[in-house]
Amino acid sequence: DGQVLTSTGAGSPPAFEDPAGGGKVLQVVQATSTSGPTSTTNSYATTNLEASITPSATSSKVLIQMVSPMTGFAGGTEHNRGSLKVYRGGSSGTSVSGILSTYYGEDDMYADAAIVYLDSPSTTSATTYTVMFARVNGSGEYSFNRDGAQTATLVLTEIGA
């Protein structure tokens, strides 16, 4: 009947009870991109990696997980720094994640980039999450998912409250 067997304490018989509520995965949405956009400005632009999810309750949380292999700089001088963040509501929406700011001490340096963030969209409407990027400083060309030769992934997981 969907109940779980729990302990009622030392010396007492166990009892069947209803499981604890909340924290359940309600749905998972995944998007991938092999696009390899570049930036030479400090204005945030879309990486072309986005996904939409429709929460089933306003109390639901959305766990955002993004990974992009081979993100970094081609050319330029030392002290290059790039930044990634996630926007809710598309590229003109609101930044919801913290900023992943990566420093590259030399030119032609690449590394995997990842963002994990728990959002509270407070809606039951379709909600789009878009990964944005910018070159913060330096003179190189900041590449997301270098040359599009790899696959960047965005996973949205609705978690019930």
Side-chain angles (χ1 to χ4, degrees):
D1 277 332
Q3 292 191 320
V4 294
L5 185 62
T6 59
S7 171
T8 58
S12 299
F16 284 96
E17 298 177 350
D18 291 328
K24 296 177 183 172
V25 172
L26 302 178
Q27 63 175 310
V28 178
V29 176
Q30 176 179 299
T32 60
S33 175
T34 55
S35 176
T38 61
S39 175
T40 57
T41 72
N42 61 1
S43 296
Y44 281 90
T46 182
T47 61
N48 300 314
L49 180 58
E50 68 178 24
S52 293
I53 192 167
T54 304
S56 59
T58 57
S59 59
S60 291
K61 307 286 188 192
V62 175
L63 178 62
I64 303 164
Q65 300 172 90
M66 186 282 306
V67 63
S68 172
M70 295 294 286
T71 293
F73 281 88
T77 59
E78 294 181 0
H79 312 296
N80 289 310
R81 189 162 59 97
S83 177
L84 294 167
K85 57 185 175 178
V86 177
Y87 278 55
R88 181 194 325 122
S91 60
S92 61
T94 304
S95 174
V96 293
S97 72
I99 297 173
L100 171 66
S101 183
T102 309
Y103 170 77
Y104 298 86
E106 300 177 19
D107 59 345
D108 294 322
M109 276 186 90
Y110 295 89
D112 292 349
I115 293 175
V116 177
Y117 182 79
L118 186 61
D119 188 34
S120 301
S122 300
T123 185
T124 56
S125 297
T127 304
T128 300
Y129 291 89
T130 304
V131 180
M132 305 287 284
F133 78 129
R135 182 186 77 187
V136 178
N137 65 299
S139 61
E141 182 177 75
Y142 186 50
S143 298
F144 175 82
N145 199 31
R146 182 184 179 191
D147 302 326
Q150 293 74 227
T151 300
T153 304
L154 175 62
V155 177
L156 306 176
T157 306
E158 180 186 1
I159 300 172

